[in-house]
Amino acid sequence: YTETKSSAASDVYKRQELTPKINDDYSANSKINFLYSLMAEKLWAQEAKALSMDTIPYVYNSSLDIEKKLVRDKLYKIEVENKVKVSEEEVLKDIYKVTQKRILKFLHSNDKAEIEYLFERLNKGASFDSLLQTRSEKNQQPDGIEVVYGQLKEDIENKVFSIKINEFTNPINIENNWVIYYLVKVETIPLPQDNRERAIIKRAEDVIFARRAKAYYDNFYNKTIRKQKVNTDKILSEKLAHELYSYFTNSGTEIFNKYKKRYELDSRGIKKIKNSFSNIELSTEFVKFENSPIDMREYLIHIEINGFSIDVITREAINRALNKNIKTFIFEEIIVREGYR
């Protein structure tokens, strides 16, 4: 190899094994082609280093952005993924749900007294369909609603999967609204016959893992992120929104991506927007972290690397997209800073 330190055989082997292959091709030609690609990669890397490309601002900032993404991923693994344990007992308990599609109807009210009255009438023998016919929610479920495993919150799912056909649940509180579910019928979800048993187990494992991971993530979020309040400079934000609107309006279809069906800020646009801010404005604190606030220049670099797009050119669309972008930027920066600790 061309570097002063040649790649260790074990590293080459790992790269070769992890590289996607067509039809799992492990032939001699495939391995030779891989080695050619690896050597070409190293030659390009050596040439880039000779040209000091690693010091070009865009390359440097892109590398830093990738590093931050890796830090966030690593923190997620530490705080969430590595803590999740899925037991065989949990999987076996949920297996029957995997192959079922439950067709439900429901009664809904935001008034607890009303839902309790409906529940009382059902218990006294009233027909669920008769009660439903008199209510507005019937229009939302002409053929019932389909529910499959993993779709609902676990506690609600357990109640829905515990009833038999023509049975109904107790009133369930869902975000200050009340619902009674009624089971119309149960259908079997078709699964491939090849490795069917393994597919069922895998589906149960995936759903349980996702639910446990969410619980750990929510705990991490509430402990670390929710309590942090970070403001932005309103004047700079409004100016940025104005400059974005001006550029998108003037560029029109020139910056429309027909595949994504969105208008995208291009390199010419980011340069124009940067030039619309003075050096003092670019150096002004934009995201006001208590420690190490972020100036306008750094936020514009973030947009340059990660992109900015809208689906329609209006001031409202610009404001919505910009607010979302800023919130995401702050959220990710909080996580990165936690990861670097």
Side-chain angles (χ1 to χ4, degrees):
Y1 290 106
T2 59
E3 293 180 344
T4 54
K5 290 185 178 179
S6 61
S7 297
S10 60
D11 291 338
V12 174
Y13 176 76
K14 287 178 183 177
R15 282 283 302 275
Q16 200 271 336
E17 286 295 308
L18 293 172
T19 299
K21 303 169 186 64
I22 300 175
N23 299 324
D24 293 330
D25 185 4
Y26 287 90
S27 66
N29 282 339
S30 173
K31 293 177 180 179
I32 291 172
N33 288 334
F34 166 76
L35 289 174
Y36 284 147
S37 297
L38 195 60
M39 285 188 285
E41 174 188 301
K42 291 182 177 294
L43 286 168
W44 277 111
Q46 189 180 53
E47 181 68 11
K49 188 174 182 180
L51 294 172
S52 299
M53 290 188 68
D54 56 328
T55 64
I56 295 174
Y58 184 83
V59 174
Y60 171 80
N61 291 325
S62 296
S63 299
L64 183 60
D65 188 72
I66 292 171
E67 179 184 305
K68 288 183 175 183
K69 287 180 170 65
L70 293 173
V71 169
R72 291 197 297 270
D73 288 346
K74 182 64 175 179
L75 184 63
Y76 182 81
K77 289 182 183 297
I78 293 172
E79 293 291 340
V80 178
E81 283 190 359
N82 294 348
K83 294 181 178 179
V84 177
K85 308 296 179 187
V86 178
S87 69
E88 183 179 353
E89 182 182 355
E90 289 177 303
V91 173
L92 292 174
K93 181 172 68 71
D94 276 12
I95 275 180
Y96 80 97
K97 298 178 183 177
V98 175
T99 58
Q100 289 189 9
K101 179 194 295 180
R102 296 206 152 205
I103 313 301
L104 305 169
K105 291 184 178 180
F106 65 89
L107 297 171
H108 167 268
S109 177
N110 54 17
D111 183 349
K112 183 179 180 182
E114 181 183 27
I115 206 74
E116 287 178 343
Y117 169 73
L118 294 170
F119 183 61
E120 182 181 0
R121 290 197 60 188
L122 288 170
N123 280 325
K124 289 182 177 180
S127 164
F128 192 95
D129 285 335
S130 296
L131 292 178
L132 183 60
Q133 286 303 311
T134 64
R135 305 181 61 80
S136 60
E137 60 262 32
K138 71 175 182 179
N139 298 322
Q140 303 174 37
Q141 45 186 318
D143 301 312
I145 57 172
E146 297 180 354
V147 172
V148 296
Y149 176 55
Q151 181 178 339
L152 302 174
K153 289 185 176 180
E154 188 174 6
D155 58 336
I156 300 174
E157 177 183 273
N158 288 336
K159 292 173 183 176
V160 165
F161 275 79
S162 69
I163 56 177
K164 298 176 182 178
I165 293 175
N166 296 327
E167 290 184 348
F168 48 87
T169 66
N170 290 338
I172 301 172
N173 187 353
I174 304 177
E175 298 178 354
N176 297 320
N177 288 275
W178 294 88
V179 178
I180 298 173
Y181 287 109
Y182 173 83
L183 182 58
V184 178
K185 62 179 177 178
V186 178
E187 297 179 355
T188 299
I189 298 175
L191 293 170
Q193 290 305 309
D194 294 341
N195 298 319
R196 185 174 187 274
E197 183 177 343
R198 179 56 204 154
I200 293 173
I201 293 174
K202 179 69 166 55
R203 174 60 179 160
E205 289 174 340
D206 289 347
V207 169
I208 295 169
F209 182 93
R211 284 172 169 167
R212 301 297 177 266
K214 185 179 184 306
Y216 279 112
Y217 174 81
D218 289 345
N219 180 61
F220 171 75
Y221 179 87
N222 292 329
K223 179 181 67 175
T224 307
I225 300 172
R226 184 186 293 276
K227 62 185 180 182
Q228 299 199 39
K229 302 296 181 184
V230 182
N231 296 317
T232 57
D233 187 292
K234 184 179 180 181
I235 295 175
L236 289 177
S237 180
E238 288 177 349
K239 179 172 180 177
L240 177 56
H242 173 76
E243 295 297 336
L244 284 167
Y245 177 72
S246 176
Y247 183 75
F248 275 100
T249 301
N250 291 333
S251 300
T253 56
E254 293 178 18
I255 55 174
F256 183 72
N257 186 320
K258 64 180 181 180
Y259 300 105
K260 296 181 181 178
K261 300 189 184 304
R262 296 182 68 83
Y263 298 89
E264 297 183 330
L265 185 66
D266 56 9
S267 58
R268 181 168 58 94
I270 193 67
K271 183 177 180 180
K272 182 177 176 62
I273 288 171
K274 278 183 180 178
N275 290 337
S276 71
F277 288 87
S278 68
N279 284 328
I280 293 176
E281 288 174 319
L282 290 172
S283 301
T284 300
E285 294 177 3
F286 178 60
V287 181
K288 300 178 181 294
F289 283 100
E290 185 175 346
N291 296 315
S292 302
I294 293 172
D295 62 24
M296 193 67 195
R297 181 180 285 103
E298 185 173 344
Y299 177 69
L300 290 176
I301 288 172
H302 164 76
I303 289 182
E304 180 181 17
I305 293 170
N306 293 280
F308 183 89
S309 66
I310 51 175
D311 55 359
V312 59
I313 301 177
T314 64
R315 290 190 183 276
E316 292 75 16
I318 291 284
N319 289 332
R320 281 196 306 270
L322 183 57
N323 287 336
K324 182 179 179 181
N325 190 286
I326 291 171
K327 287 180 180 178
T328 301
F329 174 74
I330 293 173
F331 173 77
E332 292 179 347
E333 186 65 23
I334 291 173
I335 293 178
V336 165
R337 294 182 180 207
E338 186 68 21
Y340 278 130
R341 287 176 57 183

